[in-house]
Amino acid sequence: MRTVKRSIRTRGRSSGVARALRLGAAWLVVPGVLALAGGTSFASSGGAEKITPVDRASTSSRGVTARRINVVFPVVNLQALSTELGFAGDVEYTEQGKAIDLFVKQINDSGGIHGRMINPIISFFDPTSESNMRALCKDWTEGSPAAFAVLDGVGAFSGDSQLCITQEGHTPFLGQWTTVSNWTTEGSPYLWWTGTDDAAILQATVDWGHSTGLLGGKRKVGIVAGDRASDQLALNDYLLPDLKRIGVQPVVETIAADPSETAATNSDAPLVVEKLKAAGVNSLIPLIPFTAFLPVLSAQNSQQFYPKLLLSDYENSIQAALGLVPVPFEKALDGQEGVTTETLGGIDDSRPQAQGGYDPGVRACWDVWHKAYPQTPKGNMNDFIEEQGPVQGWCQEIHLFAQAATMAGKNLNRRTFVEAMSKITNFPGGYSPVLSYGPDKFYGPTEYQVVSVHNNSPPGAECKLPLAPLPPQGRCWHQVQGWKPLPKAS
């Protein structure tokens, strides 16, 4: 288990865009972060489904020929969205294509997968359009190009679209976006997450909150939950039972949470905060996407209501808080803590982990990237890749796919592939330190840490990086609890 303690910082706007690529379906520009908020309409069965065993998977080899393997890489069309929704473009749009091509080439130059070359099919999509995503899913799984697998390194191809590929299309999907266990159950055995199952995250949040006195005892606990089916499922099937286990009966308030309900969300937020404040809530668990989190924070400011937040990887509230902690939300967010399975940026330099730099998985990706794109005399940022950025996300996904496809042997088909995925353990991750899977474990992370969010005011007060050759950062994370085993999602 890792015990490295370090101060973690962001590189301003670049980290905001990287974070945006990993949240879920309508793009918003806010101070310090370009965030993508979950907006899928979920249709989960509420746990009635059973896991389909890996040895019952299809034996189809669609998308595989004697010489190649068709793999789809869905990439958000940031340039089109920047025009439509009014935010500036970013270098990370072009970085994604470069990263996919580079790391696929690395695999192919080493002989491919038992002599088969990965044929990368980069497909640009609009994450705000469910019809666009579904049409692409049907092309990949039923039409042309025939996809053997779909890889999403940054977590933008989300929600029902994942089930379209896996549950309907019986096609392997590796992706970063996650929700609770019902999703992988319905998509089994084809849906595999490099992010963590939110059922495990919510249990870890309750365990941590109870151990630190933020939950239980005399604390008045509140939950603000979205009205989406996914949020209500997480609330009723997972979070409330976890709280009941420790004797906590929370005050629950529901808010309109779909991006299409912006007007309703904005009108709900002040009333929700008013009720939580009147109830005397001093510990609050957000179970909402970014589109609802932002107006709730604004209502907190208006009503001078600043409870202790229990943030987490659920809808990336801990990551969103980092982007929002400067003015005007420093009173609501500065010093708040949360549970995460992510390294949260590490220290973006090329030194080994023991010196405060990259984890081993990221270091291996950086070695390849740096060789292809060395730092120029002008000192551009090609010498660095962010541990939570898109270059690292695609590197992790491509190498994970390659390992499973190689383990599947020369007879590569859907069944041999998912059987191999279920046997991968201790894979050196990037967003998370280590990924391990199993026949009934479809998410990779195995550990979590607790971090606190800080605004750097005055400059250098909190976000000091004595090892880094860069100036003090505007905002940062600090590790307040070292890595611990993640509870098993149930």
Side-chain angles (χ1 to χ4, degrees):
M1 184 180 300
R2 304 177 353 148
T3 57
V4 175
K5 294 187 177 180
R6 55 193 182 187
S7 201
I8 305 173
R9 52 88 178 162
T10 66
R11 275 209 296 267
R13 190 171 175 280
S14 177
S15 286
V17 176
R19 190 69 50 203
L21 291 167
R22 303 196 38 238
L23 301 177
W27 295 84
L28 299 173
V29 180
V30 296
V33 64
L34 174 62
L36 180 62
T40 305
S41 176
F42 295 82
S44 176
S45 63
E49 305 287 340
K50 292 184 178 180
I51 290 174
T52 301
V54 293
D55 62 5
R56 297 288 301 276
S58 167
T59 56
S60 169
S61 58
R62 186 175 187 273
V64 178
T65 70
R67 295 185 177 181
R68 69 181 188 180
I69 309 167
N70 287 346
V71 180
V72 170
F73 298 86
V75 176
V76 172
N77 193 340
L78 276 179
Q79 288 183 342
L81 285 178
S82 68
T83 300
E84 178 183 349
L85 300 180
F87 59 84
D90 193 274
V91 67
E92 291 177 13
Y93 173 82
T94 56
E95 273 188 348
Q96 292 193 74
K98 289 165 60 177
I100 293 167
D101 289 340
L102 176 63
F103 295 115
V104 167
K105 183 177 184 297
Q106 179 195 6
I107 301 298
N108 289 344
D109 287 350
S110 300
I113 310 295
H114 295 294
R116 294 185 176 100
M117 301 295 107
I118 297 175
N119 176 38
I121 302 168
I122 298 177
S123 185
F124 294 97
F125 73 99
D126 179 359
T128 68
S129 172
E130 290 296 323
S131 60
N132 172 245
M133 295 168 76
R134 184 168 180 81
L136 288 171
C137 160
K138 290 299 181 181
D139 285 344
W140 304 332
T141 60
E142 297 177 8
S144 178
F148 173 73
V150 178
L151 275 58
D152 178 16
V154 295
F157 208 81
S158 59
D160 286 331
S161 301
Q162 289 190 355
L163 293 185
C164 176
I165 292 168
T166 56
Q167 186 182 45
E168 297 179 39
H170 296 169
T171 297
F173 179 94
L174 277 61
Q176 185 70 23
W177 180 90
T178 72
T179 184
V180 290
S181 307
N182 303 62
W183 222 247
T184 47
T185 297
E186 292 186 19
S188 64
Y190 308 103
L191 179 54
W192 302 84
W193 286 334
T194 44
T196 192
D197 189 313
D198 282 334
I201 277 293
L202 293 176
Q203 184 177 335
T205 301
V206 171
D207 291 345
W208 157 66
H210 192 216
S211 69
T212 56
L214 294 175
L215 298 174
K218 295 182 179 180
R219 302 290 296 188
K220 190 70 172 181
V221 179
I223 300 171
V224 55
D227 65 351
R228 303 174 307 169
S230 59
D231 301 324
Q232 291 298 305
L233 181 65
L235 171 69
N236 293 304
D237 286 18
Y238 297 96
L239 182 55
L240 289 180
D242 286 340
L243 290 172
K244 183 178 180 180
R245 174 172 47 85
I246 63 171
V248 171
Q249 185 172 354
V251 175
V252 179
E253 293 295 334
T254 301
I255 187 171
D258 194 280
S260 65
E261 301 177 299
T262 301
T265 304
N266 290 337
S267 63
D268 284 352
L271 183 59
V272 165
V273 169
E274 181 181 328
K275 290 180 178 179
L276 293 169
K277 184 177 182 180
V281 166
N282 48 26
S283 288
L284 180 62
I285 302 174
L287 213 62
I288 47 179
F290 183 85
T291 42
F293 190 42
L294 182 60
V296 166
L297 290 173
S298 296
Q300 285 186 229
N301 274 351
S302 297
Q303 300 182 38
Q304 295 291 295
F305 173 59
Y306 302 118
K308 185 68 176 180
L309 299 179
L310 283 79
L311 303 169
S312 72
D313 285 343
Y314 187 89
E315 288 291 348
N316 296 274
S317 65
I318 183 69
Q319 295 90 337
L322 180 69
L324 293 170
V325 68
V327 176
F329 298 116
E330 69 275 16
K331 285 188 177 180
L333 295 174
D334 193 37
Q336 299 284 15
E337 299 175 351
V339 165
T340 182
T341 62
E342 298 184 357
T343 55
L344 292 178
I347 295 174
D348 298 323
D349 64 39
S350 55
R351 288 169 293 190
Q353 176 188 352
Q355 299 177 28
Y358 289 140
D359 291 340
V362 184
R363 173 71 193 214
C365 293
W366 176 84
D367 285 340
V368 177
W369 180 262
H370 176 65
K371 184 177 180 180
Y373 303 106
Q375 187 176 25
T376 68
K378 292 183 180 180
N380 68 21
M381 297 307 292
N382 279 334
D383 197 38
F384 300 89
I385 61 175
E386 293 180 276
E387 282 193 317
Q388 300 302 311
V391 171
Q392 172 54 33
W394 288 114
C395 178
Q396 171 185 263
E397 225 75 4
I398 291 166
H399 284 94
L400 180 62
F401 169 81
Q403 178 163 328
T406 300
M407 290 170 58
K410 294 183 178 180
N411 181 28
L412 179 63
N413 59 50
R414 281 149 174 73
R415 182 178 296 178
T416 59
F417 180 82
V418 299
E419 286 177 336
M421 277 295 303
S422 73
K423 297 174 183 177
I424 290 178
T425 58
N426 298 316
F427 179 86
Y431 288 174
S432 299
V434 174
L435 305 179
S436 291
Y437 298 90
D440 61 350
K441 185 178 184 291
F442 298 97
Y443 59 98
T446 61
E447 298 177 299
Y448 74 94
Q449 62 173 333
V450 179
V451 297
S452 60
V453 173
H454 294 280
N455 188 29
N456 206 19
S457 180
E462 293 286 355
C463 306
K464 298 178 181 179
L465 297 170
L467 294 177
L470 297 172
Q473 303 301 303
R475 53 195 186 275
C476 64
W477 292 261
H478 289 302
Q479 186 186 66
V480 296
Q481 177 180 292
W483 294 90
K484 299 179 65 173
L486 186 70
K488 191 176 186 300
S490 59

